[in-house]
Amino acid sequence: MENTLKRNKKLIEDLKFAIKEFLDFCNEKRTPYICSLKQTKEGYEEIENFVIKAVVRQGLGISEAFITYEKMLNPNTYID
């Protein structure tokens, strides 16, 4: 049980590192809404929480989670 908790914490930390890497090199042409949202602490945490949940609960890849979130933030995008 303790090993599982340690492993899960490590996976979350690895995921947070990958999210940080993506956001550090945010491409405003591809993901303008995410790049804008990341400018505040609350916005960064919102992005981080969404991506972690999308990866863990829905099995999305990190890039796919970012694209999904960008589409959700964009008022001009229609999502079924």
Side-chain angles (χ1 to χ4, degrees):
M1 175 78 153
E2 191 171 320
N3 284 339
T4 300
L5 288 174
K6 285 181 183 179
R7 189 172 63 240
N8 287 347
K9 282 184 179 183
K10 173 75 171 114
L11 290 171
I12 295 295
E13 289 305 314
D14 289 348
L15 189 50
K16 285 183 178 184
F17 180 79
I19 292 166
K20 180 186 180 315
E21 288 287 305
F22 181 92
L23 292 176
D24 283 348
F25 299 101
C26 204
N27 183 334
E28 293 184 13
K29 289 182 180 180
R30 294 188 71 203
T31 55
Y33 293 96
I34 286 176
C35 292
S36 177
L37 187 61
K38 78 165 189 156
Q39 301 302 319
T40 66
K41 181 182 179 200
E42 295 82 11
Y44 186 96
E45 290 173 355
E46 187 178 318
I47 295 166
E48 192 176 68
N49 288 333
F50 178 87
V51 172
I52 289 170
K53 287 177 185 176
V55 169
V56 173
R57 292 182 182 165
Q58 299 173 350
L60 298 180
I62 294 171
S63 295
E64 191 176 12
F66 275 108
I67 300 288
T68 299
Y69 199 47
E70 179 69 22
K71 287 179 182 178
M72 289 174 60
L73 293 171
N74 186 342
N76 299 315
T77 303
Y78 176 76
I79 298 176
D80 285 343

